[in-house]
Amino acid sequence: IHGNSDVASLSVANEIASLINQKQEEGKKAVLGLATGSTPVKVYDYLVQFHKEGRLSFKNVITFNLDEYFPMKPDSIHSYVRFMNEHLFDHIDIEPHNIHIPDGNISMDEIRKYCEDYEEKIKNVGGIDIQILGIGRTGHIGFNEPGSTLNSKTRLIRLDRMTRLDAASDFFGEENVPKRAITMGVGTIMSARKIILMAWGEGKSSIVQQAVEGKIKESVPATFLQHHDNCDFVLDEAAASSLT
Ligand code: F6R
């Protein structure tokens, strides 16, 4: 628990930078699982800053994003491709072929195979070293909405009404928010060697309390993280305020 989201984000950015630098010394690649949304923005700001200061290179980094709306064209202002480019990828020296974001533009008949291939790609690079997460008010991680199972894998899902309401202002109205998304599964997330879930502000305090202290259940997918043996919740004081 940190005094504010700025210092909390700095601590997460430092941990990611240490991993990247350590892997570089070992001549290995660092594999990051990345999230979008408002929560990780300051972490990306710090990573960009470290890069500009010459302290951090992303030449040996491979990334996998958690999710993308479906359908979604990559060049849309609403796409997570655009979000990641704007907040991180356009400002660092990552090799474009090392970036993976679920493709919201593929045809319905290709989705199943596409999702299996996404899982394969993660496995083929040796799995995710650090997965960062936000948390939705439904208790979703990635877009694994209530009802997602512990072993779920990358797949097409239907977004919860509350999630679509939360996204409504970004899309200028709930009716414009896509009804579906492609997301890594809970099982995909749980396979990461380290998980860091971040949450800021009082609006997240109730779901954070349920995720950390509640009974493990499918209706709050973030509770599955209690099963992971290397998972940190990084919170500001407001998000931690309902913990007992
Ligand atoms: C985003 C994602 C979502 C968000 C969550 C919180 O890639 O997977 O689970 O992390 O909806 O969103 P914010 O950070 O906007 O509150």
Side-chain angles (χ1 to χ4, degrees):
I1 299 168
H2 295 264
N4 59 57
S5 60
D6 192 58
V7 283
S9 298
L10 179 59
S11 79
V12 173
N14 277 329
E15 182 164 351
I16 293 171
S18 302
L19 170 89
I20 294 173
N21 287 331
Q22 181 202 323
K23 290 279 180 183
Q24 194 160 26
E25 276 170 31
E26 293 167 2
K28 293 183 186 153
K29 299 245 188 256
V31 184
L32 304 178
L34 300 179
T36 54
S38 59
T39 307
V41 166
K42 282 186 194 159
V43 174
Y44 299 149
D45 288 348
Y46 277 116
L47 292 175
V48 169
Q49 185 187 317
F50 297 166
H51 173 66
K52 292 203 163 137
E53 289 166 357
R55 291 200 273 148
L56 185 63
S57 167
F58 290 78
K59 285 271 183 231
N60 71 327
V61 175
I62 301 174
T63 63
F64 289 91
N65 264 76
L66 282 165
D67 41 23
E68 176 62 284
Y69 290 108
F70 182 87
M72 181 57 68
K73 293 205 171 21
D75 56 3
S76 160
I77 54 160
H78 300 301
S79 80
Y80 284 163
V81 171
R82 196 237 8 118
F83 177 98
M84 289 308 300
N85 288 340
E86 183 179 318
H87 289 283
L88 186 65
F89 298 142
D90 282 351
H91 314 285
I92 58 175
D93 59 344
I94 190 164
E95 305 279 0
H97 67 265
N98 285 332
I99 296 171
H100 305 87
I101 302 178
D103 183 358
N105 199 32
I106 53 168
S107 74
M108 255 324 206
D109 352 321
E110 290 172 306
I111 287 192
R112 217 192 154 93
K113 171 84 172 63
Y114 178 84
C115 292
E116 284 169 13
D117 288 350
Y118 203 73
E119 292 283 330
E120 270 310 299
K121 282 183 189 156
I122 297 173
K123 279 202 194 97
N124 289 343
V125 297
I128 291 170
D129 292 305
I130 294 183
Q131 174 67 56
I132 66 168
L133 298 175
I135 184 169
R137 286 194 304 141
T138 58
H140 71 213
I141 47 174
F143 275 141
N144 292 283
E145 297 287 19
S148 299
T149 60
L150 176 59
N151 293 321
S152 53
K153 295 286 183 297
T154 302
R155 68 205 188 287
L156 184 68
I157 56 86
R158 194 161 282 281
L159 291 165
D160 197 276
R161 172 94 202 280
M162 198 191 279
T163 301
R164 294 185 63 237
L165 277 176
D166 284 344
S169 62
D170 290 342
F171 283 85
F172 316 113
E174 187 194 339
E175 65 281 9
N176 301 323
V177 183
K179 294 196 170 59
R180 287 172 296 190
I182 297 175
T183 183
M184 280 186 198
V186 176
T188 325
I189 294 169
M190 293 293 286
S191 303
R193 283 180 280 283
K194 168 90 197 249
I195 299 175
I196 303 174
L197 183 146
M198 297 175 280
W200 325 132
E202 205 189 333
K204 295 284 172 79
S205 66
S206 159
I207 196 65
V208 164
Q209 190 275 334
Q210 290 181 60
V212 177
E213 297 174 349
K215 193 165 164 275
I216 299 173
K217 52 187 179 188
E218 284 176 10
S219 56
V220 185
T223 58
F224 288 129
L225 297 172
Q226 294 176 29
H227 285 302
H228 199 280
D229 57 13
N230 194 11
C231 173
D232 287 343
F233 273 52
V234 176
L235 309 171
D236 65 3
E237 274 168 13
S241 60
S242 297
L243 296 173
T244 52

